[in-house]
């Protein structure tokens, strides 16, 4: 197993206080393994079979403890490699909304919007993740309140860093949930395999380092399914309600949860009906709160802050998305798919030899329940996001993350049954080595997607935001697009989205100056040509004077003061990494 990890990743170091383990060379673990197998063969074939059986029994007996360790690994990645900055659109919107919740008001007043001369001014004063509110000179968040509500609790408990622990917490719950689904529907050993595949999924590793809603939604729905299977309708309903408030588009999964609750209820039809009533009553408060918030902010209890149904979904997106998401799954989960495919082939091609079935493992027919659950969960998620917008980035596979725990639970069942086709002398050993190979390769894929270096690039948001807060006067107005959400959060000063302006760029800057405000421009390197393209006749859009400050390492961010174009300061820009 160590040799597999070294061969794929190039080696590793574990440095945990007094424990320091370094492995970078293939020769030592291969020698140790060869010597161990030689000694085992000298003792005879029965001893090898007994050793593998003992290893299998150990995994079965300590399955929950193994799953807990794997959950801790997933959470640890998020804590160790998290960005810890309010960045871009989603994180800035969620965390700023959490701060609004702690203050008891989701409406943000922007008085300056009523004094400028250009039309639709509220749109230009709304940073990323916000839109005009129900009244003039107001803006409101566009994202559902589920994750911000959880982050608000984290803010209260753990302070400013609290929201960044929400993703790791729910990543751990998602891993444990995958284990729980497989263990309940198949076996503890299948649960361990599901937990391994979930914990080391490149998709999970890429999302756990960011403050997004995909992992919380995944964890909540998985826990709701487990609560339904355990016959706990109130817990299942409360978790489903919070999951709907987190990702309203996945409301149909509540129907699947209710179906499981009815199937797993003991006592016949009357007991199932009573359980469903409790489930609905427990789910109702969160749904009512969501409807009230949407009514208050957007004027309709069924409205979304992101736009109308026709604006967000289209049947023409389905075919391009099928192709795009299929390639993303193949790119991100190739090792797991290869293992599952091999297992299916083994199940079809060979029968289990008589007398080789393990007493701790179910018969092959036990694969069906977990596969059916995975299909049921996949249906509403695919129906929603295949019709959603078409995106080019691999990271948008995150929309499908709620499918992963049930899918890996089914994979664990399939792989577990396929392992019965192997000789009892090597069955468990082969299984552990193959899972190690899959996990090591997944780590390499996650690294290739930038999961472990994202914090370095994302740090520019925090650096720029804190710098602006420190140097800008109170009457400053920040003109930005990509940094509009983070700048608004860190500085509490008004922002103007240049990409939302319906007036000339120079006109807007002059208008702000005549109102006694100091406009400054914050742009990333890739935004500068877009700014010039949107305002080709603008003098200030050329950005042809020295910047006041320069931030970032991979992606560069520059701060411009329009007043410097006519009165250059002559000093070099402040340079912050």
């Amino acid at each position: 197993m160590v040799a597999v990890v070294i061969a794929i990743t190039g080696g590793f170091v574990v440095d945990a206080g007094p424990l320091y383990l370094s492995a970078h060379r293939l020769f030592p673990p291969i020698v140790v393994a060869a010597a161990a197998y030689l000694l085992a063969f000298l003792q005879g074939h029965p001893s090898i079979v007994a050793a593998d059986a003992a290893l299998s029994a150990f995994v079965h007996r300590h399955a929950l403890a193994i799953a807990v360790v794997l959950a801790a690994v997933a959470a640890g990645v998020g804590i160790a490699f998290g960005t810890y900055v309010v960045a871009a659109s989603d994180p800035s919107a969620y965390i700023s909304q959490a701060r609004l919740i702690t203050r008891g008001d989701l409406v943000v007043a922007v008085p300056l919007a009523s004094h400028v001369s250009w039309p639709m001014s509220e749109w230009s004063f709304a940073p990323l993740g916000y839109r005009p509110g129900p009244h003039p000179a107001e803006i409101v968040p566009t994202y559902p309140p589920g994750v911000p509500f959880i982050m608000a609790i984290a803010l209260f408990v753990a302070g400013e860093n609290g929201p960044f622990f929400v993703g790791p917490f729910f990543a751990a719950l998602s891993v444990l949930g995958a284990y729980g689904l497989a263990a309940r529907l198949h076996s503890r050993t299948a649960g361990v395999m599901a937990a391994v595949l979930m914990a080391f999924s490149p998709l999970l590793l890429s999302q756990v380092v960011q403050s997004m809603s995909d992992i919380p939604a995944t964890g909540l729905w998985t826990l709701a399914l487990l609560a339904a299977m355990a016959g706990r309708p109130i817990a299942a309903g409360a978790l489903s309600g919070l999951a709907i408030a987190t990702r309203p588009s996945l409301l149909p999964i509540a129907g699947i949860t209710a179906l499981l609750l009815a199937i797993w209820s003991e006592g016949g039809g009357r007991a199932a009906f009573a359980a469903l009533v409790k489930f609905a009553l427990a789910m109702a408060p969160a749904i009512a709160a969501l409807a009230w918030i949407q009514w208050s902010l957007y004027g309709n209890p069924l409205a979304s802050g992101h736009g109308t149904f026709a604006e967000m979904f289209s049947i023409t997106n389905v075919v391009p998305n099928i192709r795009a998401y299929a390639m993303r799954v193949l790119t991100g989960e190739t090792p797991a798919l290869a293992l599952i495919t091999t297992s299916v082939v083994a199940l079809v091609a060979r029968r289990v030899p008589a007398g080789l079935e393990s007493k701790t493992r179910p018969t092959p027919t036990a694969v069906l329940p977990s596969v059916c659950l995975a299909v049921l969960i996949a249906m509403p998620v695919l129906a929603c996001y295949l019709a959603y917008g078409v995106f080019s980035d691999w990271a948008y596979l995150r929309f499908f993350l709620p499918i992963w725990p049930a899918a890996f639970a089914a994979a664990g069942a399939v792989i577990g049954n396929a392992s019965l086709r192997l000789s009892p002398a090597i069955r468990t050993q082969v299984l552990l080595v193959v899972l190690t190979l899959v996990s090591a390769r997944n780590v390499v894929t996650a690294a290739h997607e930038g999961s472990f270096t994202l914090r370095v690039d994302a740090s520019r948001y925090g650096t720029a935001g804190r710098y602006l807060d420190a140097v800008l006067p109170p009457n400053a107005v920040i003109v930005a697009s990509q940094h509009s959400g983070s700048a608004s959060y860190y500085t509490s000063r008004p922002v103007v989205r240049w990409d939302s302006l319906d007036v000339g760029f120079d006109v807007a800057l002059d208008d702000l100056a005549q109102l006694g405000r100091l406009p400054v421009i914050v742009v990333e390197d890739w935004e500068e040509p877009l700014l010039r393209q949107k305002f080709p006749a603008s003098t200030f859009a050329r950005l042809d004077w020295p910047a006041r400050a320069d931030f970032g390492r991979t992606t560069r961010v520059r701060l411009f003061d329009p007043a410097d174009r006519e009165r250059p300061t002559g000093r070099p820009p402040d340079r912050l990494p």
Side-chain angles (χ1 to χ4, degrees), residues 455-491:
R455 57 179 178 170
V456 176
D457 193 29
S459 65
R460 68 188 190 273
Y461 292 98
T463 302
R466 295 184 181 101
Y467 177 90
L468 294 172
D469 185 45
V471 305
L472 293 182
N475 67 330
V477 176
I478 301 168
V479 182
S481 177
Q482 184 69 12
H483 282 254
S484 58
S486 55
S488 174
Y489 179 87
Y490 284 113
T491 70

mmCIF file of all heavy atoms in Angstrom, residues 455-491:
data_model
loop_
_atom_site.group_PDB
_atom_site.id
_atom_site.type_symbol
_atom_site.label_atom_id
_atom_site.label_comp_id
_atom_site.label_asym_id
_atom_site.label_seq_id
_atom_site.Cartn_x
_atom_site.Cartn_y
_atom_site.Cartn_z
ATOM 1 N N ARG A 455 -5.711 28.306 -1.864
ATOM 2 C CA ARG A 455 -5.590 29.327 -0.824
ATOM 3 C C ARG A 455 -4.542 30.372 -1.190
ATOM 4 O O ARG A 455 -4.676 31.540 -0.811
ATOM 5 C CB ARG A 455 -5.226 28.677 0.509
ATOM 6 C CG ARG A 455 -3.952 27.853 0.476
ATOM 7 C CD ARG A 455 -3.616 27.250 1.805
ATOM 8 N NE ARG A 455 -2.403 26.428 1.720
ATOM 9 C CZ ARG A 455 -1.771 25.945 2.755
ATOM 10 N NH1 ARG A 455 -2.229 26.194 3.972
ATOM 11 N NH2 ARG A 455 -0.693 25.211 2.606
ATOM 12 N N VAL A 456 -3.491 29.958 -1.928
ATOM 13 C CA VAL A 456 -2.438 30.906 -2.318
ATOM 14 C C VAL A 456 -3.001 31.937 -3.287
ATOM 15 O O VAL A 456 -2.805 33.146 -3.125
ATOM 16 C CB VAL A 456 -1.247 30.163 -2.944
ATOM 17 C CG1 VAL A 456 -0.194 31.148 -3.434
ATOM 18 C CG2 VAL A 456 -0.647 29.184 -1.943
ATOM 19 N N ASP A 457 -3.736 31.471 -4.296
ATOM 20 C CA ASP A 457 -4.306 32.388 -5.277
ATOM 21 C C ASP A 457 -5.453 33.202 -4.677
ATOM 22 O O ASP A 457 -5.583 34.400 -4.945
ATOM 23 C CB ASP A 457 -4.797 31.603 -6.491
ATOM 24 C CG ASP A 457 -5.120 32.498 -7.675
ATOM 25 O OD1 ASP A 457 -4.494 33.565 -7.804
ATOM 26 O OD2 ASP A 457 -5.994 32.144 -8.473
ATOM 27 N N ALA A 458 -6.285 32.556 -3.844
ATOM 28 C CA ALA A 458 -7.437 33.252 -3.266
ATOM 29 C C ALA A 458 -7.031 34.289 -2.224
ATOM 30 O O ALA A 458 -7.829 35.163 -1.887
ATOM 31 C CB ALA A 458 -8.391 32.238 -2.634
ATOM 32 N N SER A 459 -5.816 34.204 -1.725
ATOM 33 C CA SER A 459 -5.392 35.156 -0.693
ATOM 34 C C SER A 459 -5.431 36.585 -1.182
ATOM 35 O O SER A 459 -5.490 37.528 -0.377
ATOM 36 C CB SER A 459 -3.980 34.808 -0.211
ATOM 37 O OG SER A 459 -3.036 34.969 -1.266
ATOM 38 N N ARG A 460 -5.425 36.783 -2.511
ATOM 39 C CA ARG A 460 -5.442 38.152 -3.037
ATOM 40 C C ARG A 460 -6.711 38.898 -2.630
ATOM 41 O O ARG A 460 -6.693 40.125 -2.475
ATOM 42 C CB ARG A 460 -5.306 38.130 -4.559
ATOM 43 C CG ARG A 460 -6.503 37.549 -5.306
ATOM 44 C CD ARG A 460 -6.195 37.382 -6.786
ATOM 45 N NE ARG A 460 -7.358 37.046 -7.595
ATOM 46 C CZ ARG A 460 -7.802 35.830 -7.805
ATOM 47 N NH1 ARG A 460 -7.178 34.798 -7.241
ATOM 48 N NH2 ARG A 460 -8.861 35.612 -8.575
ATOM 49 N N TYR A 461 -7.808 38.179 -2.456
ATOM 50 C CA TYR A 461 -9.053 38.836 -2.060
ATOM 51 C C TYR A 461 -8.931 39.428 -0.659
ATOM 52 O O TYR A 461 -9.315 40.573 -0.415
ATOM 53 C CB TYR A 461 -10.215 37.845 -2.103
ATOM 54 C CG TYR A 461 -10.591 37.388 -3.488
ATOM 55 C CD1 TYR A 461 -10.126 36.173 -3.982
ATOM 56 C CD2 TYR A 461 -11.420 38.151 -4.291
ATOM 57 C CE1 TYR A 461 -10.474 35.738 -5.255
ATOM 58 C CE2 TYR A 461 -11.773 37.722 -5.561
ATOM 59 C CZ TYR A 461 -11.296 36.516 -6.039
ATOM 60 O OH TYR A 461 -11.642 36.083 -7.294
ATOM 61 N N GLY A 462 -8.398 38.631 0.265
ATOM 62 C CA GLY A 462 -8.229 39.125 1.618
ATOM 63 C C GLY A 462 -7.191 40.226 1.705
ATOM 64 O O GLY A 462 -7.383 41.229 2.419
ATOM 65 N N THR A 463 -6.088 40.062 0.974
ATOM 66 C CA THR A 463 -5.030 41.077 0.995
ATOM 67 C C THR A 463 -5.544 42.404 0.455
ATOM 68 O O THR A 463 -5.355 43.464 1.074
ATOM 69 C CB THR A 463 -3.822 40.604 0.161
ATOM 70 O OG1 THR A 463 -3.347 39.372 0.685
ATOM 71 C CG2 THR A 463 -2.713 41.632 0.191
ATOM 72 N N ALA A 464 -6.200 42.351 -0.700
ATOM 73 C CA ALA A 464 -6.734 43.579 -1.292
ATOM 74 C C ALA A 464 -7.815 44.198 -0.408
ATOM 75 O O ALA A 464 -7.823 45.419 -0.192
ATOM 76 C CB ALA A 464 -7.285 43.285 -2.683
ATOM 77 N N GLY A 465 -8.720 43.375 0.102
ATOM 78 C CA GLY A 465 -9.810 43.907 0.920
ATOM 79 C C GLY A 465 -9.316 44.584 2.185
ATOM 80 O O GLY A 465 -9.769 45.686 2.536
ATOM 81 N N ARG A 466 -8.382 43.952 2.885
ATOM 82 C CA ARG A 466 -7.869 44.548 4.130
ATOM 83 C C ARG A 466 -7.024 45.786 3.841
ATOM 84 O O ARG A 466 -7.037 46.749 4.625
ATOM 85 C CB ARG A 466 -7.063 43.497 4.895
ATOM 86 C CG ARG A 466 -7.921 42.315 5.368
ATOM 87 C CD ARG A 466 -7.120 41.327 6.203
ATOM 88 N NE ARG A 466 -7.949 40.212 6.623
ATOM 89 C CZ ARG A 466 -7.943 39.011 6.044
ATOM 90 N NH1 ARG A 466 -7.130 38.768 5.024
ATOM 91 N NH2 ARG A 466 -8.734 38.051 6.480
ATOM 92 N N TYR A 467 -6.294 45.776 2.738
ATOM 93 C CA TYR A 467 -5.518 46.964 2.360
ATOM 94 C C TYR A 467 -6.450 48.146 2.075
ATOM 95 O O TYR A 467 -6.215 49.261 2.533
ATOM 96 C CB TYR A 467 -4.667 46.646 1.136
ATOM 97 C CG TYR A 467 -3.885 47.827 0.608
ATOM 98 C CD1 TYR A 467 -2.601 48.093 1.064
ATOM 99 C CD2 TYR A 467 -4.424 48.672 -0.368
ATOM 100 C CE1 TYR A 467 -1.876 49.170 0.572
ATOM 101 C CE2 TYR A 467 -3.714 49.746 -0.865
ATOM 102 C CZ TYR A 467 -2.438 49.995 -0.383
ATOM 103 O OH TYR A 467 -1.732 51.072 -0.861
ATOM 104 N N LEU A 468 -7.501 47.896 1.291
ATOM 105 C CA LEU A 468 -8.456 48.950 0.978
ATOM 106 C C LEU A 468 -9.095 49.516 2.242
ATOM 107 O O LEU A 468 -9.269 50.732 2.377
ATOM 108 C CB LEU A 468 -9.538 48.417 0.040
ATOM 109 C CG LEU A 468 -9.088 48.006 -1.372
ATOM 110 C CD1 LEU A 468 -10.225 47.315 -2.114
ATOM 111 C CD2 LEU A 468 -8.601 49.205 -2.144
ATOM 112 N N ASP A 469 -9.435 48.638 3.151
ATOM 113 C CA ASP A 469 -10.053 49.093 4.403
ATOM 114 C C ASP A 469 -9.090 49.974 5.197
ATOM 115 O O ASP A 469 -9.507 50.930 5.860
ATOM 116 C CB ASP A 469 -10.470 47.886 5.241
ATOM 117 C CG ASP A 469 -11.226 48.283 6.492
ATOM 118 O OD1 ASP A 469 -12.128 49.139 6.397
ATOM 119 O OD2 ASP A 469 -10.907 47.733 7.560
ATOM 120 N N ALA A 470 -7.787 49.668 5.101
ATOM 121 C CA ALA A 470 -6.799 50.409 5.886
ATOM 122 C C ALA A 470 -6.464 51.763 5.287
ATOM 123 O O ALA A 470 -6.211 52.726 6.022
ATOM 124 C CB ALA A 470 -5.528 49.578 6.040
ATOM 125 N N VAL A 471 -6.433 51.882 3.956
ATOM 126 C CA VAL A 471 -5.909 53.109 3.337
ATOM 127 C C VAL A 471 -6.984 54.029 2.777
ATOM 128 O O VAL A 471 -6.724 55.229 2.602
ATOM 129 C CB VAL A 471 -4.908 52.756 2.207
ATOM 130 C CG1 VAL A 471 -3.804 51.863 2.733
ATOM 131 C CG2 VAL A 471 -5.605 52.097 1.019
ATOM 132 N N LEU A 472 -8.178 53.514 2.483
ATOM 133 C CA LEU A 472 -9.177 54.358 1.850
ATOM 134 C C LEU A 472 -9.890 55.239 2.871
ATOM 135 O O LEU A 472 -10.192 54.792 3.979
ATOM 136 C CB LEU A 472 -10.210 53.510 1.107
ATOM 137 C CG LEU A 472 -9.719 52.743 -0.112
ATOM 138 C CD1 LEU A 472 -10.881 52.000 -0.766
ATOM 139 C CD2 LEU A 472 -9.061 53.676 -1.119
ATOM 140 N N PRO A 473 -10.198 56.476 2.502
ATOM 141 C CA PRO A 473 -10.968 57.346 3.400
ATOM 142 C C PRO A 473 -12.421 56.899 3.475
ATOM 143 O O PRO A 473 -12.892 56.129 2.624
ATOM 144 C CB PRO A 473 -10.832 58.725 2.740
ATOM 145 C CG PRO A 473 -10.614 58.415 1.289
ATOM 146 C CD PRO A 473 -9.816 57.154 1.253
ATOM 147 N N PRO A 474 -13.167 57.392 4.451
ATOM 148 C CA PRO A 474 -14.569 56.958 4.601
ATOM 149 C C PRO A 474 -15.445 57.293 3.406
ATOM 150 O O PRO A 474 -16.463 56.629 3.185
ATOM 151 C CB PRO A 474 -15.032 57.711 5.850
ATOM 152 C CG PRO A 474 -13.779 58.014 6.610
ATOM 153 C CD PRO A 474 -12.730 58.233 5.570
ATOM 154 N N ASN A 475 -15.098 58.330 2.622
ATOM 155 C CA ASN A 475 -15.953 58.728 1.504
ATOM 156 C C ASN A 475 -15.605 58.007 0.200
ATOM 157 O O ASN A 475 -16.089 58.370 -0.861
ATOM 158 C CB ASN A 475 -15.860 60.242 1.285
ATOM 159 C CG ASN A 475 -14.479 60.665 0.801
ATOM 160 O OD1 ASN A 475 -13.483 60.026 1.134
ATOM 161 N ND2 ASN A 475 -14.415 61.753 0.033
ATOM 162 N N ALA A 476 -14.783 56.980 0.269
ATOM 163 C CA ALA A 476 -14.371 56.255 -0.937
ATOM 164 C C ALA A 476 -15.505 55.376 -1.455
ATOM 165 O O ALA A 476 -16.336 54.863 -0.692
ATOM 166 C CB ALA A 476 -13.138 55.412 -0.649
ATOM 167 N N VAL A 477 -15.529 55.214 -2.772
ATOM 168 C CA VAL A 477 -16.426 54.276 -3.446
ATOM 169 C C VAL A 477 -15.547 53.368 -4.300
ATOM 170 O O VAL A 477 -14.738 53.856 -5.095
ATOM 171 C CB VAL A 477 -17.463 54.992 -4.322
ATOM 172 C CG1 VAL A 477 -18.316 53.971 -5.075
ATOM 173 C CG2 VAL A 477 -18.349 55.899 -3.486
ATOM 174 N N ILE A 478 -15.700 52.062 -4.142
ATOM 175 C CA ILE A 478 -14.843 51.100 -4.826
ATOM 176 C C ILE A 478 -15.541 50.628 -6.101
ATOM 177 O O ILE A 478 -16.642 50.076 -6.054
ATOM 178 C CB ILE A 478 -14.540 49.899 -3.915
ATOM 179 C CG1 ILE A 478 -13.851 50.384 -2.629
ATOM 180 C CG2 ILE A 478 -13.680 48.871 -4.633
ATOM 181 C CD1 ILE A 478 -13.770 49.349 -1.543
ATOM 182 N N VAL A 479 -14.907 50.890 -7.228
ATOM 183 C CA VAL A 479 -15.437 50.468 -8.529
ATOM 184 C C VAL A 479 -14.752 49.153 -8.893
ATOM 185 O O VAL A 479 -13.537 49.110 -9.092
ATOM 186 C CB VAL A 479 -15.176 51.543 -9.598
ATOM 187 C CG1 VAL A 479 -15.775 51.108 -10.940
ATOM 188 C CG2 VAL A 479 -15.761 52.887 -9.160
ATOM 189 N N ALA A 480 -15.532 48.080 -8.942
ATOM 190 C CA ALA A 480 -14.955 46.749 -9.149
ATOM 191 C C ALA A 480 -16.015 45.831 -9.717
ATOM 192 O O ALA A 480 -17.194 46.180 -9.815
ATOM 193 C CB ALA A 480 -14.414 46.193 -7.832
ATOM 194 N N SER A 481 -15.583 44.630 -10.091
ATOM 195 C CA SER A 481 -16.502 43.579 -10.501
ATOM 196 C C SER A 481 -16.180 42.306 -9.735
ATOM 197 O O SER A 481 -16.890 41.918 -8.815
ATOM 198 C CB SER A 481 -16.430 43.342 -12.008
ATOM 199 O OG SER A 481 -17.271 42.263 -12.376
ATOM 200 N N GLN A 482 -15.073 41.651 -10.081
ATOM 201 C CA GLN A 482 -14.693 40.418 -9.410
ATOM 202 C C GLN A 482 -14.469 40.625 -7.920
ATOM 203 O O GLN A 482 -14.757 39.734 -7.114
ATOM 204 C CB GLN A 482 -13.434 39.841 -10.060
ATOM 205 C CG GLN A 482 -12.984 38.503 -9.517
ATOM 206 C CD GLN A 482 -13.932 37.366 -9.865
ATOM 207 O OE1 GLN A 482 -14.820 37.517 -10.704
ATOM 208 N NE2 GLN A 482 -13.767 36.231 -9.218
ATOM 209 N N HIS A 483 -13.975 41.774 -7.520
ATOM 210 C CA HIS A 483 -13.689 42.062 -6.116
ATOM 211 C C HIS A 483 -14.801 42.851 -5.435
ATOM 212 O O HIS A 483 -14.610 43.322 -4.309
ATOM 213 C CB HIS A 483 -12.362 42.817 -5.994
ATOM 214 C CG HIS A 483 -11.165 41.939 -6.136
ATOM 215 N ND1 HIS A 483 -10.365 41.555 -5.072
ATOM 216 C CD2 HIS A 483 -10.627 41.329 -7.227
ATOM 217 C CE1 HIS A 483 -9.395 40.769 -5.505
ATOM 218 N NE2 HIS A 483 -9.539 40.617 -6.815
ATOM 219 N N SER A 484 -15.953 42.983 -6.080
ATOM 220 C CA SER A 484 -17.018 43.790 -5.488
ATOM 221 C C SER A 484 -17.538 43.181 -4.188
ATOM 222 O O SER A 484 -17.765 43.886 -3.201
ATOM 223 C CB SER A 484 -18.167 43.956 -6.489
ATOM 224 O OG SER A 484 -18.686 42.695 -6.890
ATOM 225 N N GLY A 485 -17.706 41.839 -4.163
ATOM 226 C CA GLY A 485 -18.211 41.201 -2.947
ATOM 227 C C GLY A 485 -17.217 41.246 -1.813
ATOM 228 O O GLY A 485 -17.560 41.604 -0.682
ATOM 229 N N SER A 486 -15.960 40.898 -2.081
ATOM 230 C CA SER A 486 -14.945 40.891 -1.028
ATOM 231 C C SER A 486 -14.637 42.305 -0.545
ATOM 232 O O SER A 486 -14.470 42.540 0.652
ATOM 233 C CB SER A 486 -13.676 40.211 -1.524
ATOM 234 O OG SER A 486 -13.204 40.818 -2.714
ATOM 235 N N ALA A 487 -14.562 43.282 -1.472
ATOM 236 C CA ALA A 487 -14.284 44.656 -1.070
ATOM 237 C C ALA A 487 -15.412 45.217 -0.208
ATOM 238 O O ALA A 487 -15.170 45.920 0.775
ATOM 239 C CB ALA A 487 -14.086 45.536 -2.309
ATOM 240 N N SER A 488 -16.643 44.901 -0.567
ATOM 241 C CA SER A 488 -17.776 45.348 0.247
ATOM 242 C C SER A 488 -17.721 44.744 1.640
ATOM 243 O O SER A 488 -17.981 45.425 2.643
ATOM 244 C CB SER A 488 -19.089 44.965 -0.447
ATOM 245 O OG SER A 488 -20.199 45.264 0.363
ATOM 246 N N TYR A 489 -17.359 43.451 1.724
ATOM 247 C CA TYR A 489 -17.314 42.778 3.025
ATOM 248 C C TYR A 489 -16.212 43.346 3.902
ATOM 249 O O TYR A 489 -16.443 43.653 5.071
ATOM 250 C CB TYR A 489 -17.093 41.280 2.808
ATOM 251 C CG TYR A 489 -17.012 40.487 4.098
ATOM 252 C CD1 TYR A 489 -18.167 40.002 4.704
ATOM 253 C CD2 TYR A 489 -15.793 40.237 4.712
ATOM 254 C CE1 TYR A 489 -18.104 39.276 5.886
ATOM 255 C CE2 TYR A 489 -15.716 39.517 5.893
ATOM 256 C CZ TYR A 489 -16.874 39.048 6.475
ATOM 257 O OH TYR A 489 -16.801 38.346 7.663
ATOM 258 N N TYR A 490 -15.019 43.486 3.363
ATOM 259 C CA TYR A 490 -13.881 43.889 4.187
ATOM 260 C C TYR A 490 -13.880 45.375 4.528
ATOM 261 O O TYR A 490 -13.363 45.762 5.571
ATOM 262 C CB TYR A 490 -12.574 43.532 3.476
ATOM 263 C CG TYR A 490 -12.235 42.059 3.529
ATOM 264 C CD1 TYR A 490 -12.244 41.281 2.380
ATOM 265 C CD2 TYR A 490 -11.917 41.442 4.738
ATOM 266 C CE1 TYR A 490 -11.935 39.925 2.425
ATOM 267 C CE2 TYR A 490 -11.607 40.095 4.793
ATOM 268 C CZ TYR A 490 -11.620 39.334 3.634
ATOM 269 O OH TYR A 490 -11.326 37.992 3.695
ATOM 270 N N THR A 491 -14.441 46.214 3.662
ATOM 271 C CA THR A 491 -14.344 47.661 3.883
ATOM 272 C C THR A 491 -15.633 48.297 4.357
ATOM 273 O O THR A 491 -15.605 49.406 4.909
ATOM 274 C CB THR A 491 -13.911 48.363 2.591
ATOM 275 O OG1 THR A 491 -14.978 48.297 1.631
ATOM 276 C CG2 THR A 491 -12.668 47.718 1.999
#
